[in-house]
Amino acid sequence: MSLPALWAAPALLAAGSTPSPSPSASTSADPAGATLQDAQQSATNAASWVQQNWSTWLAIGLRVLLILVIAAVLRVAVRRAITKLIERMNRTAQAVDGTALGGLLVNVERRRQRSHAIGSVLRSVASFLIMGTAALMVLATFEINLAPLLASAGVAGVAIGFGARNLVTDFLSGVFMILEDQYGVGDTIDAGVASGEVIEVGLRVTKLRGDNGEIWYVRNGEVKRIGNLSQGWATAGVDVTVRASEDVDQVRAVLGEVAETMSKEEPWNELLWGPIEVLGLDSVLLDSMVVRVSAKTMPGKALTVERELRWRVKRAFDAADIRIVGGSTAVPEQDPAPDATETVAAPSAHANPASPQSTATTPITPSATPR
């Protein structure tokens, strides 16, 4: 027997056992009986509606539960895979740390921050896509029209994009800078608006430490061009200015000996990524000439190599009696002309016979003696 039939059976029995009402006791005059019959009819209708739709409700509930479970499992799996990928990147960086290759090409802190930023972005994007798709599928399961919702979200997104366009620009620029590895922690860069050593790379702001110790906060969206001074190799160049009368072959030989000696000594043999070359005469003037010396060095070590090279060149030239002049327009030193006033005595008051000093020094004339 069906559920509505069971619910309707008491009503039918009650109706069959009850005697026919008299004209004086009609149903219209019995409000309590009418209310009971209305309640029974409503319960019967509700039970019938539940019986007809319970399978649909159960199917919708199971579908929503399945969508949520799949979304949660997929989100956990994707985030765990991203975390393992980031940990593998960090282990690779730590494996080469301390070796010659690690010292030249790998910066552990740079790799760590870069991998952390990339992992954060990937996890956030994966969570947003998975949970957003799951939410739309749940709404579609309830047969909700998603067109107005998507249209409203699009309008709100456009409004937020116009209002926070600088923030969006900074964020997107930071993401592409990190993904392309344009610079990292420890690099010396010239960002146009500021220059210095990178101490932190963020998705919105990059921190630089200047030459005087100041910290620059540069928004990633404001950077139009970047000059990385720490990637690849650097060039150490030294210009040596000597007199035009010097023997160029001797100058070249002395510089060659300095370059060969420096290339074999530590730690310069590790900082130099190529031989020190004497390029030749860079310019020749009437009273001086400039000899150019150049070498490829480790990134960021060009200034150190240049200072050491100048030190060695100066000592070698002093030993070889080669004179280094002050610049391209150096003037030969000359003895100063003698001062003509040095041999002239200062004027004296005794030179004027009418002066009081001359009068006081005049000898006294002896007076005549009486006879």
Side-chain angles (χ1 to χ4, degrees), residues 6 8 17 25 52 59 65 70 74 88 110 113 124 166 169 172 198 231-232 241 253 263 294 317 323 327 340 356-357:
L6 292 176
S17 60
Q52 294 176 0
L65 180 61
I70 293 176
L74 184 61
R88 182 177 300 178
R110 170 180 176 173
Q113 287 203 9
S124 299
N166 291 333
T169 301
L172 293 179
V198 180
Q231 287 183 351
T241 306
S263 301
S294 177
F317 277 15
R323 186 173 181 182
Q357 290 83 357

Side-chain angles (χ1 to χ4, degrees), residues 205-221:
V205 175
T206 298
K207 290 184 182 180
L208 303 177
R209 184 174 296 279
D211 297 334
N212 297 325
E214 70 276 12
I215 296 180
W216 299 96
Y217 294 84
V218 181
R219 288 170 43 197
N220 295 329

Side-chain angles (χ1 to χ4, degrees), residues 78-119:
V78 172
R79 290 175 66 90
R80 184 171 298 178
I82 294 174
T83 302
K84 289 184 178 180
L85 177 62
I86 300 305
E87 291 177 353
R88 182 177 300 178
M89 293 174 58
N90 290 335
R91 286 197 301 267
T92 304
Q94 294 175 0
V96 296
D97 184 30
T99 62
L101 179 62
L104 297 178
L105 301 180
V106 179
N107 187 306
V108 176
E109 180 64 19
R110 170 180 176 173
R111 286 292 186 92
R112 188 193 65 80
Q113 287 203 9
R114 180 170 178 262
S115 60
H116 176 75
I118 293 176

Side-chain angles (χ1 to χ4, degrees), residues 21 87 228 243 255-256 264-265 280 287 319 341 348 365 367:
E87 291 177 353
N228 196 324
R243 294 179 299 184
L255 292 176
K264 295 179 180 180
E265 296 181 358
D287 52 5
T341 61
S348 175
T365 305
S367 61

Side-chain angles (χ1 to χ4, degrees), residues 28-321:
S28 59
D30 189 3
T35 303
L36 180 59
Q37 292 180 0
D38 293 341
Q40 291 178 351
Q41 185 64 30
S42 299
T44 302
N45 295 336
S48 177
W49 185 81
V50 169
Q51 183 183 12
Q52 294 176 0
N53 297 281
W54 73 271
S55 59
T56 304
W57 287 3
L58 181 60
I60 292 176
L62 292 177
R63 187 179 302 175
V64 171
L65 180 61
L66 182 61
I67 292 173
L68 295 179
V69 170
I70 293 176
V73 172
L74 184 61
R75 178 175 178 269
V76 171
V78 172
R79 290 175 66 90
R80 184 171 298 178
I82 294 174
T83 302
K84 289 184 178 180
L85 177 62
I86 300 305
E87 291 177 353
R88 182 177 300 178
M89 293 174 58
N90 290 335
R91 286 197 301 267
T92 304
Q94 294 175 0
V96 296
D97 184 30
T99 62
L101 179 62
L104 297 178
L105 301 180
V106 179
N107 187 306
V108 176
E109 180 64 19
R110 170 180 176 173
R111 286 292 186 92
R112 188 193 65 80
Q113 287 203 9
R114 180 170 178 262
S115 60
H116 176 75
I118 293 176
S120 177
V121 172
L122 293 179
R123 282 190 290 265
S124 299
V125 172
S127 299
F128 176 78
L129 292 178
I130 294 173
M131 302 309 296
T133 304
L136 294 178
M137 293 177 65
V138 169
L139 294 178
T141 302
F142 287 103
E143 298 182 357
I144 298 176
N145 188 10
L146 299 179
L149 180 62
L150 295 178
S152 301
V155 173
V158 172
I160 294 175
F162 276 108
R165 58 185 181 274
N166 291 333
L167 181 62
V168 175
T169 301
D170 297 340
F171 180 81
L172 293 179
S173 300
V175 170
F176 283 108
M177 286 179 182
I178 293 174
L179 292 179
E180 296 172 1
D181 196 17
Q182 297 179 7
Y183 55 83
V185 175
D187 288 351
T188 301
I189 66 171
D190 181 3
V193 294
S195 60
E197 181 182 356
V198 180
I199 60 176
E200 184 177 347
V201 179
L203 295 177
R204 193 181 70 87
V205 175
T206 298
K207 290 184 182 180
L208 303 177
R209 184 174 296 279
D211 297 334
N212 297 325
E214 70 276 12
I215 296 180
W216 299 96
Y217 294 84
V218 181
R219 288 170 43 197
N220 295 329
E222 294 182 349
V223 179
K224 303 302 180 184
R225 53 98 175 161
I226 297 175
N228 196 324
L229 306 179
S230 300
Q231 287 183 351
W233 45 267
T235 302
V238 175
D239 293 331
V240 183
T241 306
V242 297
R243 294 179 299 184
S245 59
E246 297 290 346
D247 186 359
V248 291
D249 294 333
Q250 183 184 8
V251 173
R252 178 187 290 272
V254 173
L255 292 176
E257 293 177 359
V258 172
E260 183 178 0
T261 304
M262 183 174 175
S263 301
K264 295 179 180 180
E265 296 181 358
E266 294 182 356
W268 312 110
N269 54 355
E270 295 182 358
L271 300 182
L272 292 171
W273 283 11
I276 301 177
E277 300 178 352
V278 181
L279 302 181
L281 293 177
D282 192 64
S283 63
V284 179
L285 301 177
L286 182 62
D287 52 5
S288 64
M289 57 183 178
V290 179
V291 182
R292 180 74 172 177
V293 182
S294 177
K296 290 183 179 180
T297 69
M298 181 188 300
K301 301 298 182 180
L303 186 59
T304 304
V305 174
E306 289 177 359
R307 291 171 176 170
E308 180 65 19
L309 188 57
R310 292 190 187 99
W311 183 277
R312 292 172 179 262
V313 168
K314 178 62 172 65
R315 291 191 300 178
F317 277 15
D318 290 343
D321 196 19

